[in-house]
Amino acid sequence: MTNTQKALELISTFATGDTEKAASLLAEGYIQHNLAYGTGREAFGGSVSYLASAPVKTLVKNIRAFEDGDKVFLQTVYNFAGAGEQVAFDIFRIGRQVIF
């Protein structure tokens, strides 16, 4: 699996609710840089679980992805639990931790 595929699989867990997959893709020392979410593998899994339990399904649509070494860059349209579309530019460092 390429680094880009790993990053895409991780963000897809917001829509699928697959906490086991999210945990398997995140490093133990995962650092979250989005202040709206907690740091750590467990906090990310909690977000995935919460979104899966929402009455409106979360949608994730990747627009573009590219990688440079151990870094992956994604431009994605999210609609978290029906809250409305938002565009995000996510940066992941694969192999050590994931950075948002």
PDB file of all heavy atoms in Angstrom, residues 7-37:
ATOM      1  N   ALA A   7      -3.173   7.232   3.540  1.00  0.00           N
ATOM      2  CA  ALA A   7      -3.851   8.472   3.942  1.00  0.00           C
ATOM      3  C   ALA A   7      -5.313   8.461   3.504  1.00  0.00           C
ATOM      4  O   ALA A   7      -6.207   8.843   4.271  1.00  0.00           O
ATOM      5  CB  ALA A   7      -3.118   9.679   3.372  1.00  0.00           C
ATOM      6  N   LEU A   8      -5.565   8.004   2.284  1.00  0.00           N
ATOM      7  CA  LEU A   8      -6.941   7.938   1.793  1.00  0.00           C
ATOM      8  C   LEU A   8      -7.763   6.932   2.590  1.00  0.00           C
ATOM      9  O   LEU A   8      -8.944   7.177   2.892  1.00  0.00           O
ATOM     10  CB  LEU A   8      -6.952   7.589   0.301  1.00  0.00           C
ATOM     11  CG  LEU A   8      -6.434   8.694  -0.621  1.00  0.00           C
ATOM     12  CD1 LEU A   8      -6.252   8.154  -2.035  1.00  0.00           C
ATOM     13  CD2 LEU A   8      -7.346   9.908  -0.609  1.00  0.00           C
ATOM     14  N   GLU A   9      -7.164   5.811   2.946  1.00  0.00           N
ATOM     15  CA  GLU A   9      -7.860   4.821   3.775  1.00  0.00           C
ATOM     16  C   GLU A   9      -8.205   5.421   5.140  1.00  0.00           C
ATOM     17  O   GLU A   9      -9.285   5.174   5.674  1.00  0.00           O
ATOM     18  CB  GLU A   9      -6.992   3.574   3.951  1.00  0.00           C
ATOM     19  CG  GLU A   9      -6.895   2.713   2.723  1.00  0.00           C
ATOM     20  CD  GLU A   9      -8.162   1.929   2.448  1.00  0.00           C
ATOM     21  OE1 GLU A   9      -8.786   1.431   3.400  1.00  0.00           O
ATOM     22  OE2 GLU A   9      -8.522   1.831   1.265  1.00  0.00           O
ATOM     23  N   LEU A  10      -7.280   6.188   5.705  1.00  0.00           N
ATOM     24  CA  LEU A  10      -7.527   6.784   7.012  1.00  0.00           C
ATOM     25  C   LEU A  10      -8.692   7.762   6.958  1.00  0.00           C
ATOM     26  O   LEU A  10      -9.605   7.670   7.782  1.00  0.00           O
ATOM     27  CB  LEU A  10      -6.273   7.489   7.541  1.00  0.00           C
ATOM     28  CG  LEU A  10      -6.431   8.118   8.915  1.00  0.00           C
ATOM     29  CD1 LEU A  10      -6.704   7.050   9.984  1.00  0.00           C
ATOM     30  CD2 LEU A  10      -5.212   8.927   9.280  1.00  0.00           C
ATOM     31  N   ILE A  11      -8.706   8.675   6.012  1.00  0.00           N
ATOM     32  CA  ILE A  11      -9.812   9.643   5.989  1.00  0.00           C
ATOM     33  C   ILE A  11     -11.133   8.973   5.628  1.00  0.00           C
ATOM     34  O   ILE A  11     -12.192   9.466   6.021  1.00  0.00           O
ATOM     35  CB  ILE A  11      -9.525  10.860   5.085  1.00  0.00           C
ATOM     36  CG1 ILE A  11      -9.434  10.475   3.622  1.00  0.00           C
ATOM     37  CG2 ILE A  11      -8.312  11.625   5.566  1.00  0.00           C
ATOM     38  CD1 ILE A  11      -9.509  11.657   2.670  1.00  0.00           C
ATOM     39  N   SER A  12     -11.078   7.839   4.928  1.00  0.00           N
ATOM     40  CA  SER A  12     -12.323   7.144   4.601  1.00  0.00           C
ATOM     41  C   SER A  12     -12.997   6.576   5.849  1.00  0.00           C
ATOM     42  O   SER A  12     -14.204   6.341   5.843  1.00  0.00           O
ATOM     43  CB  SER A  12     -12.085   6.035   3.576  1.00  0.00           C
ATOM     44  OG  SER A  12     -11.474   4.912   4.178  1.00  0.00           O
ATOM     45  N   THR A  13     -12.239   6.384   6.923  1.00  0.00           N
ATOM     46  CA  THR A  13     -12.831   5.846   8.152  1.00  0.00           C
ATOM     47  C   THR A  13     -13.841   6.811   8.769  1.00  0.00           C
ATOM     48  O   THR A  13     -14.714   6.382   9.517  1.00  0.00           O
ATOM     49  CB  THR A  13     -11.771   5.454   9.204  1.00  0.00           C
ATOM     50  OG1 THR A  13     -11.059   6.611   9.644  1.00  0.00           O
ATOM     51  CG2 THR A  13     -10.806   4.410   8.644  1.00  0.00           C
ATOM     52  N   PHE A  14     -13.754   8.112   8.435  1.00  0.00           N
ATOM     53  CA  PHE A  14     -14.777   9.049   8.902  1.00  0.00           C
ATOM     54  C   PHE A  14     -16.140   8.677   8.335  1.00  0.00           C
ATOM     55  O   PHE A  14     -17.162   8.854   8.986  1.00  0.00           O
ATOM     56  CB  PHE A  14     -14.447  10.490   8.494  1.00  0.00           C
ATOM     57  CG  PHE A  14     -13.304  11.105   9.238  1.00  0.00           C
ATOM     58  CD1 PHE A  14     -12.280  11.729   8.546  1.00  0.00           C
ATOM     59  CD2 PHE A  14     -13.236  11.086  10.617  1.00  0.00           C
ATOM     60  CE1 PHE A  14     -11.214  12.324   9.218  1.00  0.00           C
ATOM     61  CE2 PHE A  14     -12.185  11.665  11.299  1.00  0.00           C
ATOM     62  CZ  PHE A  14     -11.171  12.285  10.598  1.00  0.00           C
ATOM     63  N   ALA A  15     -16.164   8.158   7.112  1.00  0.00           N
ATOM     64  CA  ALA A  15     -17.419   7.776   6.464  1.00  0.00           C
ATOM     65  C   ALA A  15     -17.828   6.344   6.806  1.00  0.00           C
ATOM     66  O   ALA A  15     -19.013   6.047   6.941  1.00  0.00           O
ATOM     67  CB  ALA A  15     -17.310   7.943   4.951  1.00  0.00           C
ATOM     68  N   THR A  16     -16.849   5.450   6.945  1.00  0.00           N
ATOM     69  CA  THR A  16     -17.174   4.036   7.167  1.00  0.00           C
ATOM     70  C   THR A  16     -17.388   3.689   8.631  1.00  0.00           C
ATOM     71  O   THR A  16     -18.022   2.685   8.940  1.00  0.00           O
ATOM     72  CB  THR A  16     -16.057   3.125   6.630  1.00  0.00           C
ATOM     73  OG1 THR A  16     -14.855   3.343   7.393  1.00  0.00           O
ATOM     74  CG2 THR A  16     -15.799   3.365   5.151  1.00  0.00           C
ATOM     75  N   GLY A  17     -16.794   4.467   9.526  1.00  0.00           N
ATOM     76  CA  GLY A  17     -16.894   4.152  10.955  1.00  0.00           C
ATOM     77  C   GLY A  17     -15.978   3.039  11.401  1.00  0.00           C
ATOM     78  O   GLY A  17     -16.110   2.530  12.512  1.00  0.00           O
ATOM     79  N   ASP A  18     -15.024   2.670  10.582  1.00  0.00           N
ATOM     80  CA  ASP A  18     -14.130   1.546  10.867  1.00  0.00           C
ATOM     81  C   ASP A  18     -12.999   1.976  11.814  1.00  0.00           C
ATOM     82  O   ASP A  18     -11.923   2.373  11.379  1.00  0.00           O
ATOM     83  CB  ASP A  18     -13.568   0.996   9.560  1.00  0.00           C
ATOM     84  CG  ASP A  18     -12.848  -0.329   9.733  1.00  0.00           C
ATOM     85  OD1 ASP A  18     -12.470  -0.675  10.871  1.00  0.00           O
ATOM     86  OD2 ASP A  18     -12.643  -1.016   8.707  1.00  0.00           O
ATOM     87  N   THR A  19     -13.256   1.872  13.105  1.00  0.00           N
ATOM     88  CA  THR A  19     -12.264   2.296  14.105  1.00  0.00           C
ATOM     89  C   THR A  19     -11.041   1.390  14.130  1.00  0.00           C
ATOM     90  O   THR A  19      -9.942   1.847  14.425  1.00  0.00           O
ATOM     91  CB  THR A  19     -12.885   2.361  15.510  1.00  0.00           C
ATOM     92  OG1 THR A  19     -13.445   1.085  15.835  1.00  0.00           O
ATOM     93  CG2 THR A  19     -13.957   3.437  15.589  1.00  0.00           C
ATOM     94  N   GLU A  20     -11.229   0.108  13.819  1.00  0.00           N
ATOM     95  CA  GLU A  20     -10.087  -0.813  13.795  1.00  0.00           C
ATOM     96  C   GLU A  20      -9.119  -0.443  12.676  1.00  0.00           C
ATOM     97  O   GLU A  20      -7.910  -0.463  12.859  1.00  0.00           O
ATOM     98  CB  GLU A  20     -10.559  -2.255  13.640  1.00  0.00           C
ATOM     99  CG  GLU A  20     -11.227  -2.797  14.888  1.00  0.00           C
ATOM    100  CD  GLU A  20     -11.668  -4.243  14.738  1.00  0.00           C
ATOM    101  OE1 GLU A  20     -11.094  -4.971  13.906  1.00  0.00           O
ATOM    102  OE2 GLU A  20     -12.596  -4.630  15.475  1.00  0.00           O
ATOM    103  N   LYS A  21      -9.656  -0.102  11.511  1.00  0.00           N
ATOM    104  CA  LYS A  21      -8.799   0.307  10.402  1.00  0.00           C
ATOM    105  C   LYS A  21      -8.065   1.603  10.756  1.00  0.00           C
ATOM    106  O   LYS A  21      -6.879   1.735  10.519  1.00  0.00           O
ATOM    107  CB  LYS A  21      -9.591   0.515   9.122  1.00  0.00           C
ATOM    108  CG  LYS A  21      -8.706   0.993   7.959  1.00  0.00           C
ATOM    109  CD  LYS A  21      -9.442   1.013   6.664  1.00  0.00           C
ATOM    110  CE  LYS A  21      -9.403  -0.406   6.167  1.00  0.00           C
ATOM    111  NZ  LYS A  21      -9.760  -0.567   4.782  1.00  0.00           N
ATOM    112  N   ALA A  22      -8.788   2.560  11.355  1.00  0.00           N
ATOM    113  CA  ALA A  22      -8.162   3.821  11.750  1.00  0.00           C
ATOM    114  C   ALA A  22      -7.003   3.554  12.708  1.00  0.00           C
ATOM    115  O   ALA A  22      -5.902   4.084  12.523  1.00  0.00           O
ATOM    116  CB  ALA A  22      -9.179   4.755  12.389  1.00  0.00           C
ATOM    117  N   ALA A  23      -7.226   2.720  13.707  1.00  0.00           N
ATOM    118  CA  ALA A  23      -6.177   2.412  14.682  1.00  0.00           C
ATOM    119  C   ALA A  23      -4.979   1.741  14.026  1.00  0.00           C
ATOM    120  O   ALA A  23      -3.831   2.010  14.378  1.00  0.00           O
ATOM    121  CB  ALA A  23      -6.739   1.532  15.802  1.00  0.00           C
ATOM    122  N   SER A  24      -5.242   0.884  13.049  1.00  0.00           N
ATOM    123  CA  SER A  24      -4.140   0.178  12.393  1.00  0.00           C
ATOM    124  C   SER A  24      -3.298   1.109  11.522  1.00  0.00           C
ATOM    125  O   SER A  24      -2.138   0.822  11.248  1.00  0.00           O
ATOM    126  CB  SER A  24      -4.672  -0.985  11.544  1.00  0.00           C
ATOM    127  OG  SER A  24      -5.276  -0.517  10.356  1.00  0.00           O
ATOM    128  N   LEU A  25      -3.873   2.215  11.092  1.00  0.00           N
ATOM    129  CA  LEU A  25      -3.161   3.159  10.225  1.00  0.00           C
ATOM    130  C   LEU A  25      -2.447   4.272  10.989  1.00  0.00           C
ATOM    131  O   LEU A  25      -1.591   4.950  10.430  1.00  0.00           O
ATOM    132  CB  LEU A  25      -4.136   3.780   9.220  1.00  0.00           C
ATOM    133  CG  LEU A  25      -4.662   2.818   8.153  1.00  0.00           C
ATOM    134  CD1 LEU A  25      -5.866   3.413   7.441  1.00  0.00           C
ATOM    135  CD2 LEU A  25      -3.570   2.465   7.168  1.00  0.00           C
ATOM    136  N   LEU A  26      -2.810   4.456  12.238  1.00  0.00           N
ATOM    137  CA  LEU A  26      -2.223   5.538  13.038  1.00  0.00           C
ATOM    138  C   LEU A  26      -1.063   5.037  13.881  1.00  0.00           C
ATOM    139  O   LEU A  26      -1.152   3.983  14.504  1.00  0.00           O
ATOM    140  CB  LEU A  26      -3.280   6.149  13.963  1.00  0.00           C
ATOM    141  CG  LEU A  26      -4.373   6.947  13.279  1.00  0.00           C
ATOM    142  CD1 LEU A  26      -5.465   7.299  14.277  1.00  0.00           C
ATOM    143  CD2 LEU A  26      -3.814   8.197  12.636  1.00  0.00           C
ATOM    144  N   ALA A  27      -0.008   5.820  13.922  1.00  0.00           N
ATOM    145  CA  ALA A  27       1.126   5.509  14.791  1.00  0.00           C
ATOM    146  C   ALA A  27       0.721   5.726  16.244  1.00  0.00           C
ATOM    147  O   ALA A  27      -0.184   6.508  16.543  1.00  0.00           O
ATOM    148  CB  ALA A  27       2.312   6.397  14.438  1.00  0.00           C
ATOM    149  N   GLU A  28       1.396   5.039  17.137  1.00  0.00           N
ATOM    150  CA  GLU A  28       1.118   5.179  18.575  1.00  0.00           C
ATOM    151  C   GLU A  28       1.246   6.637  19.011  1.00  0.00           C
ATOM    152  O   GLU A  28       0.463   7.137  19.783  1.00  0.00           O
ATOM    153  CB  GLU A  28       2.080   4.303  19.380  1.00  0.00           C
ATOM    154  CG  GLU A  28       1.810   4.315  20.869  1.00  0.00           C
ATOM    155  CD  GLU A  28       0.483   3.661  21.235  1.00  0.00           C
ATOM    156  OE1 GLU A  28       0.110   2.670  20.595  1.00  0.00           O
ATOM    157  OE2 GLU A  28      -0.167   4.161  22.174  1.00  0.00           O
ATOM    158  N   GLY A  29       2.246   7.339  18.493  1.00  0.00           N
ATOM    159  CA  GLY A  29       2.487   8.723  18.889  1.00  0.00           C
ATOM    160  C   GLY A  29       1.795   9.742  18.012  1.00  0.00           C
ATOM    161  O   GLY A  29       2.260  10.866  17.858  1.00  0.00           O
ATOM    162  N   TYR A  30       0.658   9.379  17.443  1.00  0.00           N
ATOM    163  CA  TYR A  30      -0.107  10.250  16.550  1.00  0.00           C
ATOM    164  C   TYR A  30      -0.352  11.614  17.182  1.00  0.00           C
ATOM    165  O   TYR A  30      -0.768  11.710  18.327  1.00  0.00           O
ATOM    166  CB  TYR A  30      -1.436   9.557  16.219  1.00  0.00           C
ATOM    167  CG  TYR A  30      -2.500  10.458  15.676  1.00  0.00           C
ATOM    168  CD1 TYR A  30      -2.436  10.941  14.375  1.00  0.00           C
ATOM    169  CD2 TYR A  30      -3.576  10.836  16.467  1.00  0.00           C
ATOM    170  CE1 TYR A  30      -3.419  11.764  13.877  1.00  0.00           C
ATOM    171  CE2 TYR A  30      -4.564  11.658  15.976  1.00  0.00           C
ATOM    172  CZ  TYR A  30      -4.480  12.122  14.685  1.00  0.00           C
ATOM    173  OH  TYR A  30      -5.445  12.949  14.188  1.00  0.00           O
ATOM    174  N   ILE A  31      -0.085  12.664  16.428  1.00  0.00           N
ATOM    175  CA  ILE A  31      -0.307  14.034  16.900  1.00  0.00           C
ATOM    176  C   ILE A  31      -1.348  14.689  16.002  1.00  0.00           C
ATOM    177  O   ILE A  31      -1.199  14.719  14.786  1.00  0.00           O
ATOM    178  CB  ILE A  31       0.993  14.859  16.876  1.00  0.00           C
ATOM    179  CG1 ILE A  31       2.034  14.238  17.799  1.00  0.00           C
ATOM    180  CG2 ILE A  31       0.715  16.309  17.264  1.00  0.00           C
ATOM    181  CD1 ILE A  31       3.406  14.862  17.676  1.00  0.00           C
ATOM    182  N   GLN A  32      -2.380  15.220  16.605  1.00  0.00           N
ATOM    183  CA  GLN A  32      -3.444  15.915  15.887  1.00  0.00           C
ATOM    184  C   GLN A  32      -3.184  17.416  15.985  1.00  0.00           C
ATOM    185  O   GLN A  32      -3.017  17.932  17.080  1.00  0.00           O
ATOM    186  CB  GLN A  32      -4.792  15.571  16.519  1.00  0.00           C
ATOM    187  CG  GLN A  32      -5.971  16.322  15.986  1.00  0.00           C
ATOM    188  CD  GLN A  32      -6.219  16.073  14.528  1.00  0.00           C
ATOM    189  OE1 GLN A  32      -5.843  16.877  13.688  1.00  0.00           O
ATOM    190  NE2 GLN A  32      -6.834  14.958  14.210  1.00  0.00           N
ATOM    191  N   HIS A  33      -3.156  18.093  14.845  1.00  0.00           N
ATOM    192  CA  HIS A  33      -2.898  19.529  14.839  1.00  0.00           C
ATOM    193  C   HIS A  33      -4.154  20.355  14.613  1.00  0.00           C
ATOM    194  O   HIS A  33      -4.091  21.573  14.609  1.00  0.00           O
ATOM    195  CB  HIS A  33      -1.826  19.867  13.791  1.00  0.00           C
ATOM    196  CG  HIS A  33      -0.485  19.328  14.177  1.00  0.00           C
ATOM    197  ND1 HIS A  33       0.341  19.973  15.066  1.00  0.00           N
ATOM    198  CD2 HIS A  33       0.158  18.192  13.839  1.00  0.00           C
ATOM    199  CE1 HIS A  33       1.441  19.270  15.238  1.00  0.00           C
ATOM    200  NE2 HIS A  33       1.354  18.171  14.501  1.00  0.00           N
ATOM    201  N   ASN A  34      -5.296  19.701  14.443  1.00  0.00           N
ATOM    202  CA  ASN A  34      -6.567  20.401  14.334  1.00  0.00           C
ATOM    203  C   ASN A  34      -7.106  20.530  15.758  1.00  0.00           C
ATOM    204  O   ASN A  34      -7.397  19.529  16.413  1.00  0.00           O
ATOM    205  CB  ASN A  34      -7.533  19.613  13.453  1.00  0.00           C
ATOM    206  CG  ASN A  34      -8.861  20.298  13.274  1.00  0.00           C
ATOM    207  OD1 ASN A  34      -9.291  21.086  14.100  1.00  0.00           O
ATOM    208  ND2 ASN A  34      -9.527  19.982  12.176  1.00  0.00           N
ATOM    209  N   LEU A  35      -7.249  21.747  16.235  1.00  0.00           N
ATOM    210  CA  LEU A  35      -7.646  21.972  17.627  1.00  0.00           C
ATOM    211  C   LEU A  35      -9.068  21.495  17.943  1.00  0.00           C
ATOM    212  O   LEU A  35      -9.438  21.388  19.109  1.00  0.00           O
ATOM    213  CB  LEU A  35      -7.494  23.445  17.982  1.00  0.00           C
ATOM    214  CG  LEU A  35      -6.065  23.991  17.880  1.00  0.00           C
ATOM    215  CD1 LEU A  35      -6.044  25.482  18.199  1.00  0.00           C
ATOM    216  CD2 LEU A  35      -5.125  23.226  18.776  1.00  0.00           C
ATOM    217  N   ALA A  36      -9.839  21.188  16.904  1.00  0.00           N
ATOM    218  CA  ALA A  36     -11.198  20.698  17.121  1.00  0.00           C
ATOM    219  C   ALA A  36     -11.218  19.227  17.532  1.00  0.00           C
ATOM    220  O   ALA A  36     -12.251  18.715  17.947  1.00  0.00           O
ATOM    221  CB  ALA A  36     -12.034  20.904  15.860  1.00  0.00           C
ATOM    222  N   TYR A  37     -10.079  18.537  17.409  1.00  0.00           N
ATOM    223  CA  TYR A  37      -9.997  17.113  17.707  1.00  0.00           C
ATOM    224  C   TYR A  37      -8.881  16.852  18.710  1.00  0.00           C
ATOM    225  O   TYR A  37      -7.894  17.570  18.744  1.00  0.00           O
ATOM    226  CB  TYR A  37      -9.732  16.297  16.433  1.00  0.00           C
ATOM    227  CG  TYR A  37     -10.852  16.400  15.431  1.00  0.00           C
ATOM    228  CD1 TYR A  37     -10.830  17.359  14.423  1.00  0.00           C
ATOM    229  CD2 TYR A  37     -11.950  15.566  15.511  1.00  0.00           C
ATOM    230  CE1 TYR A  37     -11.873  17.471  13.518  1.00  0.00           C
ATOM    231  CE2 TYR A  37     -13.002  15.666  14.603  1.00  0.00           C
ATOM    232  CZ  TYR A  37     -12.947  16.625  13.610  1.00  0.00           C
ATOM    233  OH  TYR A  37     -13.980  16.732  12.724  1.00  0.00           O
TER     234      TYR A  37
END
